[in-house]
Amino acid sequence: MTSAAPILQLTGIGKQFPGVTALDDVDLRVLPGEVHALMGENGAGKSTLIKVLTGVHPADSGTILLDSREVTFGSPLDAQQAGISTVYQEVNLCPNLSVAENVLIGREPRRFGRIQWKAMRRRAAERLAELDLDLDVTAPLSQYSLAIQQMVAIARALEVKARVLVLDEPTSSLDTGEVEQLFRVMRTLKEQGVAILFVSHFLDQVYEIADRMTILRNGRREGDYPTGELSQVELIAKMIGRDLAELERLEERPPARTTGTLLQADGLGRTGGIEPFSLTIREGEVVGLAGLLGSGRTEVARLLFGADHATSGSVTLDGEPVSLRTPQIAMTHKIAFCPEDRKADGLIPDLTVRENVVLALQARRGWTRPIPREQQAQLVDRYIKALKISPANPEQLVRNLSGGNQQKVLLARWLILEPRLLILDEPTRGIDVGAKAEIQRLVAELSDGGMAVLFISAELEEVLRLSHKVGVLRDRRLIAELPNDDTLTTEVLMQTIASGGRS
Amino acid sequence: MTALTGAVVPRKYLPVLVTAGLFLAMFIAGGTRYEGFFSAQVVLNVFIDNAFLLVVAVGMTFVILTGGIDLSVGSMVALATMVAAVLLNAGWPPVAVIVVVLLIGAGLGLGMGCMIHFFEIQPFIATLAGMFLARGLCYTIGTDSIPITDPTFTAAAQTQVPLGGELWISPSVLIAVAVVGIAAYVLHQTRFGRTVYATGGNEQSARLMGLPVARTKLGVYTISGFCSALGGLLLAFYMLSGYGLHAVGLELDAIAAVVIGGTLLTGGSGFLIGTVLGVLILGLIQTVISFQGTLSSWWTKIFVGLLLGAFILLQRVISGRKK
Ligand SMILES: Nc1ncnc2c1ncn2[C@@H]1O[C@H](COP(=O)(O)OP(=O)(O)OP(=O)(O)O)[C@@H](O)[C@H]1O
Ligand SMILES: [Mg+2]
């Protein structure tokens, strides 16, 4: 296979943004019929390389050979027409259009210029079925969760009969089952000779699917290796330039130094959202929520934050009954919620890092009492360091940060509030191994300091590593509450989910 | 109204339904209050008096669906009447005049589209420039009203197309209805139309999805320019004159009709039928006021203002509840 001529060959690619060298003399060789992983920390330049390749950004220097012919793409459309199909890092679809249109727009079946809606719906449903998805294809995309949108984006990319498929963190919001499904499709494509360029921060996934990998560090190519010849430890060392041992320091969680019950939900529920559940969260406790997509994890969080209205049940805080009708009320009770979809519910891309970080704090103080600039700078600096936000410039516009670094900014916004209950919905989505460990450590530290955390993640290892107690959800029901003792493993969790809590 | 939301009708149709309900309510209220109001001819007259506005509003709908705005339409209408009048008086054959006027409209629209797309100028600013340019061009042609005496144009002005019974419409209404039909087809059944919606939904995503965003944006401003020129011709049929002061403020009426019709100013959501209803409502307000007799025509503006406010609030409520 290695003897085959590369289908894609990038040589000496350079890309500057004002004040940042995103790519510096990067080479990349992708062979037909291989899955090639592009690895690197947040901000290493992976997405930029993909955007240069697919005509979103012009390259400052370097050449791109597709099938040994030099190409320059002026737009993603050009790249698509040349046979490169791409799923970009953030879900990039049109929320106002139907699912079917999102899969097929630009390639709709037509007769005499007229769109054949019926054929279109059928074809979209077929494409989605290949990914094991059964959706109402006439519904607007905005009705569906981020994960489903991500799957729809993948379905769209598969629609193009491409020779090169580029997937930039396609699995960041997916759970195990869907990842398996995606990998199955990737393997089939691979057999058909399609080359796949794949980005993920989940090392296990990379080792499962990739044949070779190219590692980027700070915009420079660190080398390319067959997956089998590089251990995970070596890979991380090459990505972050130091040893993993340093990161894995997060030991056994000490038992929560529980002083008292912070929040108690009794029969809280919402028709059509989640069935009534009861949950106790104590001070200094990290409660993990595990469950598949659409199992109701996010709904629990939204109810506790007042983003949705409960239709039944009650909540007490410090033993006092409270009514969490709106996020504002929840915030005055020192509850904070870091949502899953940073693009839709979170960051304001045209404001700077500093402005985004202090936003919630400022909102809580009231807009008539601005936070002094110096204090802002101090606060922001602390979190830029703690979370290793790069570039470490508080005045950088958030839109210019890499995906993982944007996620860190969002996290900083809520951490800065020093809430009593912090609800984190997929806080480490798209975050690299190093930073993930930092964030986990930070959460652990905060909870040791008395803060309660409700932690939602599709990654069961992460849930287990941090939580004192894990709530398991299935089909919009809280089916079990398991203390995190030595006997609780990811297998047990998966079994509980699969069996519906009856075991 | 709350009973309508939720499962019964998809939320995207709600604004249009509200507009339709409002139209019916106004018509019924007018009918119970005023003698002779309750007739089909009253509605047809609204069409006859507003055929040009309808055509202009169709173009505006395309632009607003992509998230843009076109402030130049009123001046473009005036320019079209002016060019038509001058050329006709110079002895050009009417068909040639119509073709030239439409080409000028489409060309100016395309020019504004280029400014917006290639030089990344805000649509508001680019079309504001177009608005001044077109109005200015009118005055370089002439400052007085120029009468049109061409037989084809006067025939178009005076012909009554019978609809059976006592009812009739003008040829302009037929043209306007045809434009609405074609536009609705284009928006819902063609790739271009769907790309218009996609661009309004999220321009950046649409580009990354490999859609021809550039072509689409140029297309909608060209269409809007074309529709303004056509609207100008219909106005010339109606007024039988070309004048630089025709259609002052028409751009605002067109925008109001589109918004009252339930199209989101941020783009990506709305229906052409809503625009038709919006134009009808604007026309019906004028009719009511003329039936009332005692109210000054400024009341039209006040009602339109109130309606606009109400509809923008409604849109907020609807899109705010969209999870
Ligand atoms: N439009 C832009 N303007 C300025 N700087 C940019 C822009 N886009 C990216 N950058 C910078 O380029 C660098 C590389 O970003 P890129 O998005 O390629 O990282 P990445 O490897 O994809 O990271 P992640 O894993 O977080 O997605 C970062 O320092 C980022 O801040
Ligand atoms: Mg990236």
Side-chain angles (χ1 to χ4, degrees), chain A residues 17-18 20-22 40-49 57 89 168-169 201 390-391 396 399-405 430 432:
Chain A
F17 291 113
V20 189
T21 303
E41 283 187 291
N42 295 136
K46 305 178 295 291
S47 300
T48 307
L49 186 62
H57 298 313
Q89 180 166 9
D168 194 352
E169 297 197 30
H201 288 295
S390 117
Q396 178 71 270
R399 72 157 61 255
N400 293 340
L401 294 188
S402 79
N405 283 299
D432 68 48

PDB file of all heavy atoms in Angstrom, chain A residues 17-18 20-22 40-49 57 89 168-169 201 390-391 396 399-405 430 432, ligand 1:
ATOM      1  N   PHE A  17      -1.827  34.182   9.785  1.00  0.00           N
ATOM      2  CA  PHE A  17      -2.908  35.092  10.112  1.00  0.00           C
ATOM      3  C   PHE A  17      -2.259  36.268  10.803  1.00  0.00           C
ATOM      4  O   PHE A  17      -1.145  36.136  11.316  1.00  0.00           O
ATOM      5  CB  PHE A  17      -3.927  34.425  11.042  1.00  0.00           C
ATOM      6  CG  PHE A  17      -4.710  33.341  10.384  1.00  0.00           C
ATOM      7  CD1 PHE A  17      -4.562  32.016  10.770  1.00  0.00           C
ATOM      8  CD2 PHE A  17      -5.605  33.636   9.374  1.00  0.00           C
ATOM      9  CE1 PHE A  17      -5.293  31.008  10.160  1.00  0.00           C
ATOM     10  CE2 PHE A  17      -6.341  32.644   8.759  1.00  0.00           C
ATOM     11  CZ  PHE A  17      -6.176  31.331   9.157  1.00  0.00           C
ATOM     12  N   PRO A  18      -2.939  37.419  10.838  1.00  0.00           N
ATOM     13  CA  PRO A  18      -2.313  38.562  11.501  1.00  0.00           C
ATOM     14  C   PRO A  18      -1.811  38.176  12.894  1.00  0.00           C
ATOM     15  O   PRO A  18      -2.589  37.755  13.740  1.00  0.00           O
ATOM     16  CB  PRO A  18      -3.459  39.578  11.595  1.00  0.00           C
ATOM     17  CG  PRO A  18      -4.405  39.193  10.502  1.00  0.00           C
ATOM     18  CD  PRO A  18      -4.247  37.732  10.269  1.00  0.00           C
ATOM     19  N   VAL A  20      -0.213  35.584  13.869  1.00  0.00           N
ATOM     20  CA  VAL A  20      -0.084  34.156  14.156  1.00  0.00           C
ATOM     21  C   VAL A  20       0.415  33.430  12.912  1.00  0.00           C
ATOM     22  O   VAL A  20      -0.097  33.647  11.823  1.00  0.00           O
ATOM     23  CB  VAL A  20      -1.454  33.524  14.509  1.00  0.00           C
ATOM     24  CG1 VAL A  20      -1.266  32.108  15.018  1.00  0.00           C
ATOM     25  CG2 VAL A  20      -2.220  34.363  15.485  1.00  0.00           C
ATOM     26  N   THR A  21       1.413  32.588  13.089  1.00  0.00           N
ATOM     27  CA  THR A  21       1.782  31.694  11.995  1.00  0.00           C
ATOM     28  C   THR A  21       1.054  30.392  12.244  1.00  0.00           C
ATOM     29  O   THR A  21       1.395  29.632  13.139  1.00  0.00           O
ATOM     30  CB  THR A  21       3.297  31.440  11.972  1.00  0.00           C
ATOM     31  OG1 THR A  21       3.938  32.712  11.863  1.00  0.00           O
ATOM     32  CG2 THR A  21       3.680  30.589  10.779  1.00  0.00           C
ATOM     33  N   ALA A  22       0.007  30.153  11.488  1.00  0.00           N
ATOM     34  CA  ALA A  22      -0.808  28.970  11.745  1.00  0.00           C
ATOM     35  C   ALA A  22      -0.166  27.731  11.149  1.00  0.00           C
ATOM     36  O   ALA A  22      -0.236  26.649  11.716  1.00  0.00           O
ATOM     37  CB  ALA A  22      -2.219  29.165  11.201  1.00  0.00           C
ATOM     38  N   GLY A  40      -2.656  16.723  16.670  1.00  0.00           N
ATOM     39  CA  GLY A  40      -1.994  17.896  17.230  1.00  0.00           C
ATOM     40  C   GLY A  40      -2.847  18.506  18.310  1.00  0.00           C
ATOM     41  O   GLY A  40      -4.046  18.262  18.383  1.00  0.00           O
ATOM     42  N   GLU A  41      -2.191  19.328  19.136  1.00  0.00           N
ATOM     43  CA  GLU A  41      -2.905  20.012  20.216  1.00  0.00           C
ATOM     44  C   GLU A  41      -3.927  20.994  19.654  1.00  0.00           C
ATOM     45  O   GLU A  41      -3.911  21.311  18.472  1.00  0.00           O
ATOM     46  CB  GLU A  41      -1.901  20.827  21.029  1.00  0.00           C
ATOM     47  CG  GLU A  41      -1.050  20.057  21.977  1.00  0.00           C
ATOM     48  CD  GLU A  41      -0.240  21.035  22.811  1.00  0.00           C
ATOM     49  OE1 GLU A  41       0.670  21.687  22.254  1.00  0.00           O
ATOM     50  OE2 GLU A  41      -0.539  21.173  23.997  1.00  0.00           O
ATOM     51  N   ASN A  42      -4.720  21.571  20.542  1.00  0.00           N
ATOM     52  CA  ASN A  42      -5.606  22.657  20.141  1.00  0.00           C
ATOM     53  C   ASN A  42      -4.761  23.815  19.631  1.00  0.00           C
ATOM     54  O   ASN A  42      -3.813  24.239  20.288  1.00  0.00           O
ATOM     55  CB  ASN A  42      -6.434  23.171  21.326  1.00  0.00           C
ATOM     56  CG  ASN A  42      -7.402  22.120  21.849  1.00  0.00           C
ATOM     57  OD1 ASN A  42      -7.527  21.930  23.050  1.00  0.00           O
ATOM     58  ND2 ASN A  42      -8.063  21.435  20.959  1.00  0.00           N
ATOM     59  N   GLY A  43      -5.090  24.273  18.450  1.00  0.00           N
ATOM     60  CA  GLY A  43      -4.349  25.401  17.903  1.00  0.00           C
ATOM     61  C   GLY A  43      -3.102  24.988  17.137  1.00  0.00           C
ATOM     62  O   GLY A  43      -2.316  25.831  16.728  1.00  0.00           O
ATOM     63  N   ALA A  44      -2.928  23.683  16.934  1.00  0.00           N
ATOM     64  CA  ALA A  44      -1.722  23.232  16.231  1.00  0.00           C
ATOM     65  C   ALA A  44      -1.784  23.563  14.744  1.00  0.00           C
ATOM     66  O   ALA A  44      -0.764  23.621  14.077  1.00  0.00           O
ATOM     67  CB  ALA A  44      -1.549  21.726  16.428  1.00  0.00           C
ATOM     68  N   GLY A  45      -2.992  23.741  14.231  1.00  0.00           N
ATOM     69  CA  GLY A  45      -3.106  24.106  12.827  1.00  0.00           C
ATOM     70  C   GLY A  45      -3.827  23.072  11.971  1.00  0.00           C
ATOM     71  O   GLY A  45      -3.841  23.180  10.745  1.00  0.00           O
ATOM     72  N   LYS A  46      -4.450  22.094  12.601  1.00  0.00           N
ATOM     73  CA  LYS A  46      -5.126  21.031  11.851  1.00  0.00           C
ATOM     74  C   LYS A  46      -6.250  21.592  10.977  1.00  0.00           C
ATOM     75  O   LYS A  46      -6.301  21.343   9.778  1.00  0.00           O
ATOM     76  CB  LYS A  46      -5.697  19.986  12.830  1.00  0.00           C
ATOM     77  CG  LYS A  46      -4.668  19.401  13.774  1.00  0.00           C
ATOM     78  CD  LYS A  46      -5.297  18.423  14.743  1.00  0.00           C
ATOM     79  CE  LYS A  46      -6.289  19.041  15.708  1.00  0.00           C
ATOM     80  NZ  LYS A  46      -5.725  19.929  16.710  1.00  0.00           N
ATOM     81  N   SER A  47      -7.144  22.350  11.622  1.00  0.00           N
ATOM     82  CA  SER A  47      -8.283  22.866  10.855  1.00  0.00           C
ATOM     83  C   SER A  47      -7.817  23.841   9.787  1.00  0.00           C
ATOM     84  O   SER A  47      -8.378  23.890   8.691  1.00  0.00           O
ATOM     85  CB  SER A  47      -9.268  23.562  11.781  1.00  0.00           C
ATOM     86  OG  SER A  47      -9.743  22.663  12.737  1.00  0.00           O
ATOM     87  N   THR A  48      -6.788  24.613  10.103  1.00  0.00           N
ATOM     88  CA  THR A  48      -6.284  25.556   9.118  1.00  0.00           C
ATOM     89  C   THR A  48      -5.748  24.815   7.902  1.00  0.00           C
ATOM     90  O   THR A  48      -6.003  25.207   6.762  1.00  0.00           O
ATOM     91  CB  THR A  48      -5.176  26.442   9.743  1.00  0.00           C
ATOM     92  OG1 THR A  48      -5.699  27.024  10.930  1.00  0.00           O
ATOM     93  CG2 THR A  48      -4.752  27.523   8.789  1.00  0.00           C
ATOM     94  N   LEU A  49      -5.035  23.720   8.149  1.00  0.00           N
ATOM     95  CA  LEU A  49      -4.503  22.941   7.036  1.00  0.00           C
ATOM     96  C   LEU A  49      -5.656  22.434   6.168  1.00  0.00           C
ATOM     97  O   LEU A  49      -5.606  22.489   4.931  1.00  0.00           O
ATOM     98  CB  LEU A  49      -3.675  21.763   7.572  1.00  0.00           C
ATOM     99  CG  LEU A  49      -2.936  20.947   6.507  1.00  0.00           C
ATOM    100  CD1 LEU A  49      -1.933  21.815   5.775  1.00  0.00           C
ATOM    101  CD2 LEU A  49      -2.245  19.747   7.113  1.00  0.00           C
ATOM    102  N   HIS A  57      -9.369  29.030   2.832  1.00  0.00           N
ATOM    103  CA  HIS A  57      -8.326  30.055   2.923  1.00  0.00           C
ATOM    104  C   HIS A  57      -7.324  29.825   1.807  1.00  0.00           C
ATOM    105  O   HIS A  57      -6.958  28.681   1.546  1.00  0.00           O
ATOM    106  CB  HIS A  57      -7.536  29.939   4.238  1.00  0.00           C
ATOM    107  CG  HIS A  57      -8.341  30.136   5.469  1.00  0.00           C
ATOM    108  ND1 HIS A  57      -9.226  31.164   5.629  1.00  0.00           N
ATOM    109  CD2 HIS A  57      -8.358  29.453   6.637  1.00  0.00           C
ATOM    110  CE1 HIS A  57      -9.770  31.092   6.819  1.00  0.00           C
ATOM    111  NE2 HIS A  57      -9.269  30.066   7.460  1.00  0.00           N
ATOM    112  N   GLN A  89     -14.975  21.451  11.153  1.00  0.00           N
ATOM    113  CA  GLN A  89     -14.991  21.170  12.580  1.00  0.00           C
ATOM    114  C   GLN A  89     -16.310  21.521  13.249  1.00  0.00           C
ATOM    115  O   GLN A  89     -16.911  20.699  13.912  1.00  0.00           O
ATOM    116  CB  GLN A  89     -13.844  21.913  13.257  1.00  0.00           C
ATOM    117  CG  GLN A  89     -13.790  21.683  14.759  1.00  0.00           C
ATOM    118  CD  GLN A  89     -12.486  22.141  15.344  1.00  0.00           C
ATOM    119  OE1 GLN A  89     -11.687  22.780  14.670  1.00  0.00           O
ATOM    120  NE2 GLN A  89     -12.248  21.837  16.585  1.00  0.00           N
ATOM    121  N   ASP A 168     -13.064  16.676  10.008  1.00  0.00           N
ATOM    122  CA  ASP A 168     -12.419  17.438  11.078  1.00  0.00           C
ATOM    123  C   ASP A 168     -13.229  17.291  12.361  1.00  0.00           C
ATOM    124  O   ASP A 168     -14.290  17.885  12.503  1.00  0.00           O
ATOM    125  CB  ASP A 168     -12.306  18.915  10.673  1.00  0.00           C
ATOM    126  CG  ASP A 168     -11.347  19.688  11.578  1.00  0.00           C
ATOM    127  OD1 ASP A 168     -10.891  19.114  12.591  1.00  0.00           O
ATOM    128  OD2 ASP A 168     -11.064  20.862  11.267  1.00  0.00           O
ATOM    129  N   GLU A 169     -12.756  16.489  13.252  1.00  0.00           N
ATOM    130  CA  GLU A 169     -13.421  16.174  14.522  1.00  0.00           C
ATOM    131  C   GLU A 169     -14.878  15.807  14.331  1.00  0.00           C
ATOM    132  O   GLU A 169     -15.774  16.410  14.917  1.00  0.00           O
ATOM    133  CB  GLU A 169     -13.286  17.352  15.504  1.00  0.00           C
ATOM    134  CG  GLU A 169     -11.828  17.611  15.842  1.00  0.00           C
ATOM    135  CD  GLU A 169     -11.658  18.458  17.099  1.00  0.00           C
ATOM    136  OE1 GLU A 169     -12.531  18.366  17.975  1.00  0.00           O
ATOM    137  OE2 GLU A 169     -10.670  19.174  17.177  1.00  0.00           O
ATOM    138  N   HIS A 201      -9.511  14.149  18.788  1.00  0.00           N
ATOM    139  CA  HIS A 201      -8.701  14.203  20.003  1.00  0.00           C
ATOM    140  C   HIS A 201      -8.871  12.941  20.828  1.00  0.00           C
ATOM    141  O   HIS A 201      -8.289  12.816  21.903  1.00  0.00           O
ATOM    142  CB  HIS A 201      -9.065  15.436  20.829  1.00  0.00           C
ATOM    143  CG  HIS A 201      -8.585  16.704  20.213  1.00  0.00           C
ATOM    144  ND1 HIS A 201      -7.249  16.994  20.068  1.00  0.00           N
ATOM    145  CD2 HIS A 201      -9.234  17.745  19.683  1.00  0.00           C
ATOM    146  CE1 HIS A 201      -7.110  18.167  19.476  1.00  0.00           C
ATOM    147  NE2 HIS A 201      -8.313  18.649  19.223  1.00  0.00           N
ATOM    148  N   SER A 390      -4.641  29.365  23.929  1.00  0.00           N
ATOM    149  CA  SER A 390      -3.593  29.853  23.031  1.00  0.00           C
ATOM    150  C   SER A 390      -4.218  30.383  21.736  1.00  0.00           C
ATOM    151  O   SER A 390      -5.159  29.786  21.232  1.00  0.00           O
ATOM    152  CB  SER A 390      -2.605  28.717  22.750  1.00  0.00           C
ATOM    153  OG  SER A 390      -2.611  28.389  21.386  1.00  0.00           O
ATOM    154  N   PRO A 391      -3.791  31.509  21.182  1.00  0.00           N
ATOM    155  CA  PRO A 391      -2.722  32.353  21.712  1.00  0.00           C
ATOM    156  C   PRO A 391      -3.154  33.036  23.005  1.00  0.00           C
ATOM    157  O   PRO A 391      -4.323  33.352  23.165  1.00  0.00           O
ATOM    158  CB  PRO A 391      -2.516  33.379  20.598  1.00  0.00           C
ATOM    159  CG  PRO A 391      -3.785  33.378  19.809  1.00  0.00           C
ATOM    160  CD  PRO A 391      -4.347  32.019  19.921  1.00  0.00           C
ATOM    161  N   GLN A 396      -7.514  38.892  21.609  1.00  0.00           N
ATOM    162  CA  GLN A 396      -7.782  38.179  20.344  1.00  0.00           C
ATOM    163  C   GLN A 396      -9.288  37.966  20.185  1.00  0.00           C
ATOM    164  O   GLN A 396      -9.995  37.715  21.159  1.00  0.00           O
ATOM    165  CB  GLN A 396      -7.060  36.823  20.386  1.00  0.00           C
ATOM    166  CG  GLN A 396      -7.283  35.939  19.177  1.00  0.00           C
ATOM    167  CD  GLN A 396      -6.595  36.451  17.926  1.00  0.00           C
ATOM    168  OE1 GLN A 396      -7.185  37.216  17.183  1.00  0.00           O
ATOM    169  NE2 GLN A 396      -5.354  36.071  17.710  1.00  0.00           N
ATOM    170  N   ARG A 399     -13.482  34.477  17.350  1.00  0.00           N
ATOM    171  CA  ARG A 399     -13.650  33.780  16.068  1.00  0.00           C
ATOM    172  C   ARG A 399     -12.324  33.291  15.492  1.00  0.00           C
ATOM    173  O   ARG A 399     -12.290  32.379  14.692  1.00  0.00           O
ATOM    174  CB  ARG A 399     -14.361  34.668  15.055  1.00  0.00           C
ATOM    175  CG  ARG A 399     -13.514  35.809  14.522  1.00  0.00           C
ATOM    176  CD  ARG A 399     -13.997  36.321  13.169  1.00  0.00           C
ATOM    177  NE  ARG A 399     -15.355  36.843  13.208  1.00  0.00           N
ATOM    178  CZ  ARG A 399     -16.429  36.229  12.734  1.00  0.00           C
ATOM    179  NH1 ARG A 399     -16.312  35.058  12.186  1.00  0.00           N
ATOM    180  NH2 ARG A 399     -17.599  36.789  12.799  1.00  0.00           N
ATOM    181  N   ASN A 400     -11.244  33.909  15.897  1.00  0.00           N
ATOM    182  CA  ASN A 400      -9.953  33.525  15.348  1.00  0.00           C
ATOM    183  C   ASN A 400      -9.250  32.438  16.142  1.00  0.00           C
ATOM    184  O   ASN A 400      -8.142  32.051  15.814  1.00  0.00           O
ATOM    185  CB  ASN A 400      -9.025  34.740  15.262  1.00  0.00           C
ATOM    186  CG  ASN A 400      -9.535  35.742  14.248  1.00  0.00           C
ATOM    187  OD1 ASN A 400     -10.326  35.394  13.380  1.00  0.00           O
ATOM    188  ND2 ASN A 400      -9.095  36.979  14.363  1.00  0.00           N
ATOM    189  N   LEU A 401      -9.898  31.960  17.202  1.00  0.00           N
ATOM    190  CA  LEU A 401      -9.282  30.883  17.968  1.00  0.00           C
ATOM    191  C   LEU A 401      -9.617  29.536  17.333  1.00  0.00           C
ATOM    192  O   LEU A 401     -10.616  29.398  16.645  1.00  0.00           O
ATOM    193  CB  LEU A 401      -9.814  30.884  19.400  1.00  0.00           C
ATOM    194  CG  LEU A 401      -9.466  32.070  20.277  1.00  0.00           C
ATOM    195  CD1 LEU A 401      -9.915  31.800  21.689  1.00  0.00           C
ATOM    196  CD2 LEU A 401      -7.984  32.345  20.253  1.00  0.00           C
ATOM    197  N   SER A 402      -8.787  28.542  17.637  1.00  0.00           N
ATOM    198  CA  SER A 402      -9.109  27.195  17.173  1.00  0.00           C
ATOM    199  C   SER A 402     -10.282  26.675  17.991  1.00  0.00           C
ATOM    200  O   SER A 402     -10.600  27.198  19.059  1.00  0.00           O
ATOM    201  CB  SER A 402      -7.908  26.291  17.341  1.00  0.00           C
ATOM    202  OG  SER A 402      -7.799  25.873  18.679  1.00  0.00           O
ATOM    203  N   GLY A 403     -10.939  25.631  17.477  1.00  0.00           N
ATOM    204  CA  GLY A 403     -12.152  25.115  18.113  1.00  0.00           C
ATOM    205  C   GLY A 403     -11.962  24.783  19.584  1.00  0.00           C
ATOM    206  O   GLY A 403     -12.762  25.175  20.436  1.00  0.00           O
ATOM    207  N   GLY A 404     -10.896  24.074  19.883  1.00  0.00           N
ATOM    208  CA  GLY A 404     -10.665  23.674  21.266  1.00  0.00           C
ATOM    209  C   GLY A 404     -10.443  24.873  22.167  1.00  0.00           C
ATOM    210  O   GLY A 404     -10.916  24.917  23.306  1.00  0.00           O
ATOM    211  N   ASN A 405      -9.740  25.859  21.653  1.00  0.00           N
ATOM    212  CA  ASN A 405      -9.485  27.049  22.470  1.00  0.00           C
ATOM    213  C   ASN A 405     -10.757  27.857  22.703  1.00  0.00           C
ATOM    214  O   ASN A 405     -10.917  28.481  23.750  1.00  0.00           O
ATOM    215  CB  ASN A 405      -8.399  27.907  21.840  1.00  0.00           C
ATOM    216  CG  ASN A 405      -7.021  27.324  22.078  1.00  0.00           C
ATOM    217  OD1 ASN A 405      -6.600  27.177  23.224  1.00  0.00           O
ATOM    218  ND2 ASN A 405      -6.334  26.937  21.020  1.00  0.00           N
ATOM    219  N   GLY A 430     -13.865  18.463  21.888  1.00  0.00           N
ATOM    220  CA  GLY A 430     -12.896  19.079  20.988  1.00  0.00           C
ATOM    221  C   GLY A 430     -11.636  19.573  21.669  1.00  0.00           C
ATOM    222  O   GLY A 430     -10.894  20.365  21.103  1.00  0.00           O
ATOM    223  N   ASP A 432      -7.912  18.946  23.457  1.00  0.00           N
ATOM    224  CA  ASP A 432      -6.843  17.954  23.291  1.00  0.00           C
ATOM    225  C   ASP A 432      -6.511  17.263  24.609  1.00  0.00           C
ATOM    226  O   ASP A 432      -6.910  17.713  25.680  1.00  0.00           O
ATOM    227  CB  ASP A 432      -5.613  18.590  22.640  1.00  0.00           C
ATOM    228  CG  ASP A 432      -4.919  19.591  23.540  1.00  0.00           C
ATOM    229  OD1 ASP A 432      -4.671  19.278  24.718  1.00  0.00           O
ATOM    230  OD2 ASP A 432      -4.623  20.702  23.060  1.00  0.00           O
TER     231      ASP A 432
HETATM  232  N1  LIG C   1      -9.220  33.351  10.930  1.00  0.00           N
HETATM  233  C1  LIG C   1      -8.177  33.350  11.781  1.00  0.00           C
HETATM  234  N2  LIG C   1      -7.586  34.516  12.128  1.00  0.00           N
HETATM  235  C2  LIG C   1      -6.533  34.519  12.983  1.00  0.00           C
HETATM  236  N3  LIG C   1      -6.014  33.414  13.556  1.00  0.00           N
HETATM  237  C3  LIG C   1      -6.544  32.235  13.230  1.00  0.00           C
HETATM  238  C4  LIG C   1      -7.667  32.131  12.339  1.00  0.00           C
HETATM  239  N4  LIG C   1      -7.988  30.834  12.219  1.00  0.00           N
HETATM  240  C5  LIG C   1      -7.122  30.145  12.998  1.00  0.00           C
HETATM  241  N5  LIG C   1      -6.251  30.985  13.616  1.00  0.00           N
HETATM  242  C6  LIG C   1      -5.154  30.585  14.505  1.00  0.00           C
HETATM  243  O1  LIG C   1      -4.414  29.587  13.861  1.00  0.00           O
HETATM  244  C7  LIG C   1      -3.954  28.622  14.775  1.00  0.00           C
HETATM  245  C8  LIG C   1      -4.347  27.231  14.319  1.00  0.00           C
HETATM  246  O2  LIG C   1      -5.768  27.079  14.439  1.00  0.00           O
HETATM  247  P1  LIG C   1      -6.532  25.774  13.990  1.00  0.00           P
HETATM  248  O3  LIG C   1      -7.969  26.082  14.048  1.00  0.00           O
HETATM  249  O4  LIG C   1      -5.982  25.273  12.719  1.00  0.00           O
HETATM  250  O5  LIG C   1      -6.173  24.747  15.164  1.00  0.00           O
HETATM  251  P2  LIG C   1      -6.583  23.223  15.332  1.00  0.00           P
HETATM  252  O6  LIG C   1      -5.351  22.424  15.242  1.00  0.00           O
HETATM  253  O7  LIG C   1      -7.673  22.874  14.416  1.00  0.00           O
HETATM  254  O8  LIG C   1      -7.083  23.192  16.844  1.00  0.00           O
HETATM  255  P3  LIG C   1      -8.348  22.484  17.532  1.00  0.00           P
HETATM  256  O9  LIG C   1      -7.913  21.135  17.932  1.00  0.00           O
HETATM  257  O10 LIG C   1      -8.602  23.304  18.747  1.00  0.00           O
HETATM  258  O11 LIG C   1      -9.467  22.513  16.579  1.00  0.00           O
HETATM  259  C9  LIG C   1      -4.525  29.007  16.126  1.00  0.00           C
HETATM  260  O12 LIG C   1      -3.514  29.673  16.850  1.00  0.00           O
HETATM  261  C10 LIG C   1      -5.640  29.961  15.801  1.00  0.00           C
HETATM  262  O13 LIG C   1      -5.777  30.896  16.821  1.00  0.00           O
END
